[in-house]
Amino acid sequence: MRLEAISQPSVSRRIFPPMLAIVASFVIAALLAQIAGGNPFAVFGLIFKGALGSQFALLETLNRATPLIFTGLAVAVAFRAKLWNIGAEAQLYAGAVITVVLGTGALAWPAPVLLPTLAIGAALAGAIVLLIPAMLKTRFGVDEVVTTLLFNFIFLLFVSYLLEGPLKDPMGMGWPKSARLIPEARLPRIVEGLRLHWGFALALICAVAIWVIDRKTTLGFEMRAVGQNPEAARFAGIPVTKVILKTALLSGGLAALGGFSEVAGLKGSLTLDLSPGFGYTGIVVAMLALLNPLGVVAAALFVAIIFVGADSMSRAIGVPTYLADIMLASALLLMVLAILFTKFRVRRD
Amino acid sequence: MTALRMGAERGDPVLRMQGITKRFGSVTANEDISFSLHKGEVIALLGENGAGKTTLMNILFGQYLADEGMVEAFGKPLPAGAPRAALDAGVGMVHQHFTLADNLTVWENIALGTQGLGAFSLRPARVKDKIRDLSARFHLSVDPDARVGALTVGERQRVEILKALYREAKVLILDEPTAVLTPQETDALFATLREAISMGLSIVFISHKLHEVMAIAHRVLVLRHGRLVAERGIGDTSAEELASIMVGGEVRAPDVPAMPAGPALLTLSKASAGVLQDVNLSLNAGQITGIAGVSGNGQGALSDLISGVLSLQSGEMQIAGQTPAQWDARTAIAHGVGRIPEDRHKTGTIADFDLTENAILETYQTDFARAGWMDWTKARRHTEHLIQTYDVRCPGPDTRIRLLSGGNMQKLILGRVLEENPQIIVANQPVRGLDIGAVNYVHARLAAARESGSAILLISEDLDEIMKLSDKIHVISEGRLSPAFQRGALTVAELGKWMAGQGFAHAS
């Protein structure tokens, strides 16, 4: 048995296997739900009802998708240029830290000035956090998978230190949390009275912007060329190192905007549990989206639906929320397999 | 190094390939190749890149299925397309790029894959004893407990050879074994090979290096364009003869009419870069300057230097009488250097980009973008123009370039280069692997560019091609460039001498 490359896959071959992958992940989840003592149909029904069944649930899902869009975009941008950024988690926290440092009273500006300042400051911080591993890669050939991954842990410990020390809220009754943002530093809600904040809109704008950069600008062209074939890019005169560094700035900045959006839009202060692994889940989101920036939005919504829905389902019938993790993991693995089958066919001989 | 003349007593061949033919699309990689190898014999397989050596060896090892012909080891036919069959029959391959695991020890690497999954009792002591025994017999000193990652290149090669011997190989195939070795290591390797022959092993030695072939082989087979063009006993030939057979051809008048040489558009004086040493070269308007030579003698460095991807270590380069302040790919393009790279798949194009994206790869910034925004409409129109003008056969500008044949890919690259009206053109192996129609097309276009006043550097391992097109010829050997010979001033035998490295002044 061997795999044989298909030179020009048909439309059905490109669409059918990924769809089958999603269906198969549902089948696996159904079996597990059955084992855990829930009726699969009831479980899925409750998941979708819990995620989309009411206005409250829907907005909760969109809020949950917001940071995933940012980190998913960060990963997609980097991976397209073959810059393996596994450090979106650290970059997200870097954005959150800057938001808190500047937004808790240090800058007492009106909201229309302060909010863009915070966003730009956060993005710069995230950009710098990824620039360092990117430079280590271009200068010395240090593997960025290792540096960005390990930097996540270092940065989280650094945040922990900040929350126990310089950034600790004096009114926080000893809890390791920062002071609250001043009202001017809070992202307003899109519609008054509803929980959805402007961070979600910013995420959508970013997704469209990245799509435009990718298709319409020289930077997008250069990033794709460097990702696909750095040798040919270098020969053609594309400044490969510069492009990698620009990609790093863009990717780190996007992840950091996720941190800004979470703090300024949702939480109002920084704690060590700001992100339940948004940076890592961003990798799953980007892969499910096949690194397409608009696909990232869809994939982030899919992931958010499963997580929010599984929470609610679990409260209702007691099937553990781990089901959500399993669904996500199996969807990703099956998707990777499905992509393989869009490009190769199995030959028996 | 003294040549081995002990000769092989002829018996039944240990390895026989009979009538091997392999085609890839319209290109024939091997055409009706037959040879046999006898016990205790060394045969050298000589030929340029793309002559078909690798394809032949891949057929022997079952990686490719031959369209015609058969392979026999020790009198028994090998089943086609079965990678393990040759190994099991006692044919071992020492690859040019080693296939060792750096993080394992020598003995682990050697034992790897010799036992089935079910075998729990791998006995290190026994494996190591056998390795020490083989090391001593074949003068392959290596510590079985050393980690492969810590070994020198020469030592790693010994491990590769030990690996084959450990598996009781009776026939060793060595693919360019000396390419990575120092002269001392090469001598040691040859001592080992002589030991192996005296113990009745047989060897196929694949190489470009003529003096090594002369030193170690009993018989030489020369492949050219997929065909076996010559078979010589080592006593009946010379390095010069082999060089001229390998790169082919006879002296002939160029197919392009003579033209007066124009002004020098690019000159190199005492230029050193990469493996190039003190190269003097002048590319004149309206002339094709051919670079002949056996592959791997600095052609790549010369082409890279002028293309702007390799920088000068010493010496001087002038473009139209001026020394450029800096030299990189973009500057080269801006100075009117058109570049046709040696490897169109890896360097010339991006496989998953469409034709439009590949067509503008070098000029997207200057011609197809404004303030950072791409003008795809213009780019597409430009590509459609290239497709028309250069006869690129394809479904359209949105086709991914990987789906094109080599010839059509090369036509697009040619169009990309020529459409910029380059003053200077570097064409490195511009027709390698192309079918005859595409070859003629590329040559006609280059001749036309010459007519319109471009200075062209044509680098080729195919002497016929050089002879057919060049106004003047240099020979490149070990990074040095011979003086220029005007068209028709040199016989093939003389060229062969230069290619074999004679005639160069050794003091610089």
Side-chain angles (χ1 to χ4, degrees), chain B residues 3 40 105 197 244 281 312 319 342 398 484 490:
Chain B
T105 62
I197 305 161
S244 46
L281 176 71
L312 216 52
I319 311 278
E342 177 179 12
D398 304 328
L490 215 59

Side-chain angles (χ1 to χ4, degrees), chain B residues 381-437:
Chain B
R381 234 185 297 125
H382 174 72
T383 311
E384 275 162 356
H385 169 72
L386 291 186
I387 291 171
Q388 282 254 311
T389 317
Y390 294 88
D391 188 31
V392 183
R393 311 272 168 82
C394 64
D398 304 328
T399 315
R400 284 183 304 151
I401 203 159
R402 66 159 0 121
L403 300 173
L404 265 55
S405 71
N408 284 310
M409 211 182 265
Q410 193 72 331
K411 283 179 187 173
L412 187 83
I413 294 176
L414 200 63
R416 177 170 89 189
V417 166
L418 295 181
E419 207 59 13
E420 302 301 311
N421 295 317
Q423 291 289 295
I424 300 156
I425 298 171
V426 191
N428 192 356
Q429 321 290 348
V431 299
R432 183 191 284 167
L434 301 188
D435 61 46
I436 189 72

Side-chain angles (χ1 to χ4, degrees), chain B residues 6 8-9 12 14 37-42 74 90 137-138 165 168-172 192-203:
Chain B
M6 33 195 279
E9 71 277 28
D12 289 331
V14 293
L37 174 70
H38 295 266
K39 189 163 185 255
E41 188 186 28
V42 180
F74 302 97
R137 270 167 48 203
F138 291 94
L165 295 173
E168 321 270 315
K170 293 282 174 274
V171 176
L172 285 179
T192 295
L193 295 185
R194 291 198 181 96
E195 200 59 46
I197 305 161
S198 72
M199 292 188 194
L201 273 72
S202 314
I203 292 169

Side-chain angles (χ1 to χ4, degrees), chain B residues 248-268:
Chain B
E250 54 212 77
V251 179
R252 51 181 292 185
D255 285 4
V256 290
M259 265 171 62
L265 298 183
L266 183 144
T267 55
L268 294 176

Side-chain angles (χ1 to χ4, degrees), chain B residues 447-496:
Chain B
R450 163 187 180 268
E451 210 98 329
S452 66
S454 299
I456 299 170
L457 180 70
L458 173 66
I459 303 176
S460 176
E461 290 154 10
D462 183 343
L463 198 54
D464 273 343
E465 186 185 8
I466 297 279
M467 296 267 202
K468 189 173 141 196
L469 292 173
S470 305
D471 295 287
K472 60 177 194 224
I473 298 174
H474 293 266
V475 179
I476 193 164
S477 174
E478 292 177 9
R480 294 160 306 172
L481 207 59
S482 76
F485 303 108
Q486 294 306 315
R487 46 162 59 195
L490 215 59
T491 64
V492 170
E494 284 171 310
L495 277 173

